[in-house]
Amino acid sequence: MTQVQIAQLRKSYGHHEALHGIDIAMESGEFVVLVGPSGCGKSTLLRMIAGLEDVTSGAIAFDGRVMNLVPAKKRDIAMVFQNYALYPHLTVRENMGFSLKLRKVPLPERNARVEAAAESLGLGHLLDRFPRQLSGGQRQRVAMGRAVVREPALFLFDEPLSNLDAKLRVQMRTEIKQMHRKVKATMIYVTHDQVEAMTMGDRIVVMRDGIVEQAGPPIELYDRPANEFVAGFLGSPSMNMLDAVLSADGASAVLGDGSHVALPGHVEGGAGRALRLGLRPEDLLPSETGIPFEIDVIEPTGAETIVMLRNPAILGEGSLCLLLRERLPLAPGQELRIAPKPGAAHLFDPGSGTRIDPVLRSEPLRAAAR
Amino acid sequence: MTALHLRRAGMALAAILLLIWSLGPVYWALATSLMKPTDIAASPVNLVPPSITFEHYAKLVGGLFGQPDETGIWRDFLRALGNSLVLAGGATIATTAIAAIAAYAAVRLEFPGRNLVFYMIVATLAVPGYTVLIPLYRMMVGLGWVDTYGGIILIYISAYLPLSMWLMRSVYESLPLSIEEAAFLDGAGRLYTMVRIVMPLALPGLIAAAILTFLGAWGQFAVPLVFAPTAATKPLTVLIPEFATKNYVDYGLINAAGVFAMIPPALVVIFLNRFLLSGLMAGTGK
Ligand SMILES: Nc1ncnc2c1ncn2[C@@H]1O[C@H](COP(=O)(O)OP(=O)(O)OP(=O)(O)O)[C@@H](O)[C@H]1O
Ligand SMILES: [Mg+2]
């Protein structure tokens, strides 16, 4: 159980700065997911926490104690690597017991702990095999087992599931969460898969180009993304982004074809203010009175149907993605009128990309709330 | 016959030719060493010994078994065999050990000028040995290291270290860094990680370096010719040619000694080769 505080952390490789001042505070026992596109610095940050990379400036502290200069072997951290990094010349038992042996845990206790961990991961019958004699999924479990056996204060995972097939990935996701509930240690989990981030994290930290774009509980990030990047990154299919302008009364966004989308409140800036209007695919519903689009592509997945819509006046060359839960008799080329769910519109400033929160119009209500 | 059969037959023929090419001289040495001097000198040459004799071998090692010894050759021979083993063995152990550590430092430790140091050592590969022989001789005389095991082994190390370091560096570079990092996080220090994790994984490379060094040192002629003038350190490579005197070339004796000289390198290759397990790295990742 460890609190992790990261303050103004920077990392430079030569003249190239990979992390530009990261601030994160992690509660003890929390499951934090670092997510972001490739090259944004997730692994670098994780490796700095592990002590595998030097800190250029800023601080990493565990429970208030600055760790910048503490070597990796003294940090009491277990890490599961993307390529598992098992010791190829040691058996599963020796791999899992390596750290205990180093800490001079007596053999009977070591064996007991290794066997208990192996049992809980379904590796009981594989203890005397070498890594080369295991399947990818089994190797992944051994790597997890090696981490669990140690009972460390902090677990780090660097894309541990990216080499597994889709089905195993879903299964391991659940097992890692179960493990977290059981051992109650602080865990930091790196992934570039937003589904993993949403499903696993108590808290998500979205990174891009060496900075933190937003941090918070998954649903909060999903419902109130702080900027256009986070909005587009979380959610699959990702959020539709439309160019729009503000109406004269500040209460609706006007699309390219002149149709209005009602906003959940009032926006400053006056008529004609350029806006980016974000609409999640599941927040769009067919409606007799909606905006007309032409159906381009229909992709049924069974449980739901993804429909790609076109309307050059609104979208230019782009298309609008719609996620339907019910099965409608649709065909490409048909017209489909859709309307966003009330209050579902997200607004962003086209220049900075930051979120614009409409102000509630009902002043008396706000006064009463104060 | 199909094209496939033809290709198979062609490959078999090529293999046989290659075998004759490389094993022919070995057979020739063995056959000559077993022939009577009169059969050796006969014309046309005998490809197969008409009769077998062990007289040449007796001259070389008979003294060991209490046989009458008129020439005293067996003492010189056994001494030289011992010298060869000490020199080649010592050079192999020292070179491999130094290469193992130095190449690791060159790959994994960050220090200023590490590439410069590495390339300077490897660059000495390009210097032909004979160009430094004379200055080296004056240096060794000055230090009093001529005709000592230490001095000669030192020269061998300087000759074979660059190649071994180069080899070991590429071996270490091919090992995933994450395995070592996993060991650090498991609580191991640099040294423990190197001995327990890196060395076992680099073993095939170490064995290859050892084989190359041993074979090179075992066959060295120029260096011991200059630096091993007396029986104290003179190895087989220098002794055997001395069996050919101005008046008489004792082919039987030379070839019998040659056959003996083939045994240690053959044993080294056969024995160490067993550790050159391929696929040792399989199963680390994915
Ligand atoms: N050893 C290094 N030397 C120089 N630059 C590096 C080094 N390691 C990482 N970088 C740079 O730092 C940036 C962040 O890399 P990092 O590996 O942390 O990305 P990541 O978010 O983990 O990406 P991915 O999802 O592809 O693993 C990249 O621009 C990368 O090129
Ligand atoms: Mg990474």
Side-chain angles (χ1 to χ4, degrees):
Chain A
M1 299 276 264
T2 304
Q3 271 180 297
V4 180
Q5 296 95 12
I6 292 167
Q8 276 304 303
L9 194 69
R10 288 172 187 273
K11 175 72 190 178
S12 301
Y13 293 106
H15 292 299
H16 170 74
E17 193 173 76
L19 297 179
H20 316 291
I22 302 283
D23 291 291
I24 308 173
M26 300 173 199
E27 293 305 316
S28 181
E30 207 176 14
F31 196 114
V32 177
V33 177
L34 302 179
V35 67
S38 187
C40 69
K42 309 178 294 286
S43 298
T44 304
L45 176 56
L46 198 71
R47 291 168 55 79
M48 286 168 88
I49 296 171
L52 297 172
E53 299 279 353
D54 292 336
V55 171
T56 305
S57 74
I60 297 170
F62 295 169
D63 293 328
R65 188 174 154 231
V66 175
M67 302 302 279
N68 289 22
L69 298 176
V70 177
K73 70 169 188 171
K74 299 234 174 86
R75 291 198 187 188
D76 193 20
I77 288 176
M79 180 157 166
V80 178
F81 291 81
Q82 179 172 8
N83 66 2
Y84 314 148
L86 301 179
Y87 311 124
H89 58 303
L90 302 182
T91 61
V92 169
R93 181 188 297 277
E94 290 165 334
N95 261 282
M96 289 173 63
F98 189 76
S99 60
L100 300 181
K101 190 171 160 195
L102 270 163
R103 274 186 273 153
K104 310 222 159 42
V105 175
L107 187 66
E109 188 194 334
R110 208 195 305 161
N111 273 334
R113 279 167 72 174
V114 167
E115 275 155 27
E119 213 50 60
S120 74
L121 285 160
L123 294 168
H125 58 298
L126 301 173
L127 279 172
D128 296 313
R129 293 223 194 146
F130 287 94
R132 63 175 172 276
Q133 299 166 322
L134 302 177
S135 74
Q138 289 166 339
R139 284 176 203 169
Q140 213 286 329
R141 277 164 205 267
V142 176
M144 297 244 304
R146 187 169 65 177
V148 178
V149 160
R150 291 195 27 205
E151 298 171 8
L154 181 60
F155 283 81
L156 306 178
F157 300 85
D158 193 354
E159 308 204 19
L161 306 182
S162 59
N163 290 328
L164 302 181
D165 65 52
K167 201 168 160 203
L168 207 50
R169 201 148 57 206
V170 175
Q171 188 186 339
M172 289 309 295
R173 217 152 74 190
T174 317
E175 286 188 24
I176 293 176
K177 278 302 282 181
Q178 282 166 347
M179 180 177 101
H180 176 240
R181 251 203 318 274
K182 211 160 72 188
V183 305
K184 298 190 176 66
T186 313
M187 297 193 178
I188 308 176
Y189 187 102
V190 163
T191 179
H192 61 246
D193 179 347
Q194 54 91 21
V195 179
E196 257 173 45
M198 290 296 293
T199 52
M200 298 180 79
D202 295 329
R203 209 143 58 91
I204 299 182
V205 176
V206 181
M207 293 179 62
R208 177 171 62 155
D209 291 343
I211 59 161
V212 173
E213 291 280 357
Q214 191 177 5
I219 294 303
E220 190 179 309
L221 264 59
Y222 191 81
D223 288 345
R224 299 202 55 213
N227 53 48
E228 208 181 314
F229 174 77
V230 175
F233 192 80
L234 296 179
S236 171
S238 56
M239 186 188 281
N240 296 294
M241 286 292 170
L242 285 67
D243 285 317
V245 293
L246 195 60
S247 64
D249 63 357
S252 60
V254 185
L255 299 180
D257 68 341
S259 49
H260 285 241
V261 174
L263 300 178
H266 183 264
V267 173
E268 302 291 321
R273 175 183 178 183
L275 296 172
R276 293 280 279 166
L277 175 66
L279 294 168
R280 293 219 179 262
E282 69 271 23
D283 289 339
L284 298 171
L285 302 170
S287 154
E288 306 272 292
T289 57
I291 308 161
F293 288 87
E294 184 196 328
I295 297 177
D296 188 17
V297 179
I298 302 173
E299 298 171 350
T301 64
E304 46 204 27
T305 307
I306 296 169
V307 183
M308 304 303 283
L309 303 171
R310 285 160 46 80
N311 183 336
I314 298 173
L315 304 164
E317 288 300 297
S319 53
L320 188 77
C321 180
L322 168 66
L323 190 71
L324 293 176
R325 295 273 141 73
E326 69 231 89
R327 297 180 186 174
L328 300 176
L330 301 175
Q334 265 181 6
E335 189 195 72
L336 183 66
R337 286 177 168 270
I338 58 158
K341 279 186 200 166
H346 300 262
L347 287 182
F348 303 97
D349 182 77
S352 62
T354 49
R355 179 182 189 83
I356 301 169
D357 272 318
V359 181
L360 282 183
R361 267 166 301 180
S362 156
E363 282 303 321
L365 249 180
R366 282 182 68 211
R370 269 196 217 115
Chain B
M1 280 244 283
T2 64
L4 186 70
H5 281 114
L6 261 175
R7 239 183 54 202
R8 286 247 177 94
M11 265 157 65
L13 190 72
I16 289 168
L17 283 177
L18 203 66
L19 215 60
I20 293 173
W21 175 260
S22 52
L23 289 186
V26 176
Y27 168 77
W28 189 245
L30 191 66
T32 311
S33 72
L34 295 170
M35 279 192 243
K36 293 205 182 78
T38 48
D39 293 334
I40 296 172
S43 174
V45 290
N46 289 303
L47 284 178
V48 181
S51 62
I52 302 278
T53 173
F54 290 102
E55 61 180 274
H56 307 302
Y57 289 98
K59 264 197 217 161
L60 290 175
V61 293
L64 265 185
F65 306 105
Q67 293 202 356
D69 126 64
E70 323 94 53
T71 55
I73 283 177
W74 70 280
R75 287 182 202 283
D76 291 345
F77 176 74
L78 290 177
R79 182 83 209 236
L81 184 65
N83 288 341
S84 277
L85 287 172
V86 170
L87 293 176
T92 302
I93 292 167
T95 302
T96 312
I98 297 170
I101 296 164
Y104 184 76
V107 172
R108 293 288 195 241
L109 302 186
E110 302 270 348
F111 56 88
R114 73 173 172 166
N115 281 331
L116 187 72
V117 172
F118 177 78
Y119 284 117
M120 270 168 56
I121 293 174
V122 172
T124 61
L125 271 176
V127 179
Y130 57 83
T131 59
V132 293
L133 220 49
I134 305 301
L136 197 60
Y137 185 72
R138 295 198 49 182
M139 217 168 90
M140 298 298 273
V141 169
L143 292 166
W145 284 356
V146 173
D147 210 19
T148 62
Y149 286 146
I152 297 166
I153 288 177
L154 214 57
I155 298 174
Y156 284 179
I157 293 173
S158 80
Y160 297 112
L161 186 63
L163 189 66
S164 294
M165 266 187 75
W166 197 18
L167 185 86
M168 287 316 296
R169 188 167 96 136
S170 58
V171 170
Y172 290 136
E173 276 174 347
S174 73
L175 296 182
L177 182 59
S178 57
I179 297 181
E180 287 164 60
E181 291 176 340
F184 296 155
L185 287 172
D186 267 348
R190 254 281 168 223
L191 193 65
Y192 191 91
T193 305
M194 188 170 163
V195 173
R196 286 308 182 81
I197 304 291
V198 177
M199 285 305 149
L201 299 180
L203 195 64
L206 289 172
I207 300 286
I211 288 179
L212 286 177
T213 306
F214 187 86
L215 297 184
W218 185 262
Q220 251 300 335
F221 179 67
V223 168
L225 188 66
V226 175
F227 295 95
T230 76
T233 57
K234 186 185 288 180
L236 285 178
T237 44
V238 178
L239 178 80
I240 292 175
E242 288 174 3
F243 294 159
T245 60
K246 217 183 279 174
N247 316 319
Y248 177 58
V249 180
D250 192 342
Y251 286 113
L253 191 66
I254 289 175
N255 281 301
V259 169
F260 270 122
M262 279 181 233
I263 294 172
L267 286 181
V268 163
V269 171
I270 292 167
F271 177 72
L272 289 186
N273 201 33
R274 293 176 33 207
F275 292 98
L276 278 177
L277 296 175
S278 58
L280 197 65
M281 281 306 300
T284 326
K286 312 229 170 161

